[in-house]
Amino acid sequence: MTVVKICGVRTVEAAVTAAENGADVIGMIFAPSPRLIDISTAQEIAKAVVPAHTKRDPADTTDELNKECNMSAPEYFKACSDKLLSYGRPLLCGVFQNQDLDHILSVVRQVPLDLVQLHGTEPVQMARQIPVPVIKVFHVGADFTVDTAGLFDTGYHSVILLDTKVPAAGAQQGGHGVQFDWTVARSLSDRNVPFLMAGGLSPDNVGEAVKVARPWGVDVSSGVETDRAKDPAKIQAFINNAKAA
């Protein structure tokens, strides 16, 4: 069943709606963005969606996997993704973009976060300095190929994320509702490498996107909003349609 990440969550109500409807990952943005969230609200979301008794360390086995440099890319990313699903609860992901490591580490501790998403041009090696599993974005533009440097490097990021490169957006990539060619993503699944896919997804097209690209998971932000606010009905429809595909 397809993993679903609801990103750009800024309220407890939206987070609870996502969690109750089966979202696997709840993303909160700590980079400059109209969806920027403050630490105190992120902490309230963490209290609302993560049971107090739940063990909060998805990094344990990922750290072990990071030492297994002899794993092939399909084996490594499959092992990482399987581990993340083993916790049986929504994981909290903080999204950062070309920000200082000290800032990232501080937010990880304060919220606390289960995952970090590096959504800029950070080198994949930066993931080794972060104590929780890392989702690393690779922006799909006109010159993109799946053999892009770093995409298949093992022992660094735990999850590959493909998102649309929007040149007009400048430094603030992500959340613009622009699609890329899903057959590019399909070339990853044809290699048996699990990945997340974002970019212009919505309740109306996510089912087709899953059928064409066969991703491990899908990631949405603007596609489940109305007037720039998370829409409970759209969140529910997106999750249902993604998991039914």
Side-chain angles (χ1 to χ4, degrees):
M1 189 175 291
T2 308
V3 166
V4 175
K5 176 172 174 277
I6 303 295
C7 201
V9 171
R10 289 180 292 164
T11 67
V12 170
E13 292 76 15
V16 169
T17 296
E20 290 181 344
N21 283 281
D24 303 283
V25 183
I26 294 171
M28 298 175 287
I29 298 177
F30 295 95
S33 164
R35 301 178 182 89
L36 177 68
I37 192 171
D38 59 76
I39 295 292
S40 61
T41 303
Q43 290 172 331
E44 290 302 311
I45 288 173
K47 291 175 184 176
V49 302
V50 179
H53 65 276
T54 302
K55 183 174 180 290
R56 297 189 54 90
D57 194 4
D60 287 346
T61 297
T62 305
D63 285 342
E64 296 172 10
L65 292 169
N66 285 345
K67 300 172 185 176
E68 297 293 337
C69 297
N70 59 336
M71 278 186 174
S72 68
E75 291 171 332
Y76 173 78
F77 289 110
K78 171 86 165 51
C80 288
S81 58
D82 285 349
K83 178 59 180 177
L84 294 179
L85 292 181
S86 71
Y87 286 80
R89 62 166 174 83
L91 299 177
L92 299 179
C93 178
V95 180
F96 302 86
Q97 190 170 73
N98 299 326
Q99 289 163 281
D100 291 341
L101 178 63
D102 287 345
H103 173 66
I104 295 172
L105 298 180
S106 175
V107 176
V108 168
R109 289 191 298 268
Q110 289 182 75
V111 174
L113 297 174
D114 300 307
L115 300 165
V116 161
Q117 179 173 316
L118 298 177
H119 208 79
T121 57
E122 305 90 351
V124 296
Q125 292 81 5
M126 187 177 184
R128 292 296 293 270
Q129 300 174 279
I130 297 171
V132 296
V134 169
I135 300 170
K136 180 68 183 87
V137 73
F138 295 87
H139 294 110
V140 181
D143 58 350
F144 177 86
T145 73
V146 294
D147 295 310
T148 296
L151 189 78
F152 296 123
D153 288 0
T154 60
Y156 300 108
H157 51 294
S158 298
V159 180
I160 296 165
L161 168 62
L162 298 183
D163 196 4
T164 311
K165 184 176 183 178
V166 183
Q172 290 189 14
Q173 294 292 314
H176 298 290
V178 179
Q179 290 181 213
F180 64 86
D181 182 355
W182 295 336
T183 62
V184 173
R186 176 62 176 262
S187 64
L188 263 185
S189 57
D190 286 344
R191 298 188 188 194
N192 297 315
V193 176
F195 63 95
L196 274 171
M197 184 172 76
L201 298 178
S202 70
D204 294 333
N205 67 14
V206 68
E208 183 65 18
V210 170
K211 291 175 184 176
V212 172
R214 296 192 307 184
W216 171 69
V218 289
D219 186 345
V220 66
S221 184
S222 62
V224 291
E225 293 179 349
T226 298
D227 297 328
R228 297 199 170 195
K230 289 293 184 283
D231 184 319
K234 289 182 178 179
I235 290 173
Q236 182 177 17
F238 184 90
I239 295 170
N240 289 344
N241 293 348
K243 291 186 177 291

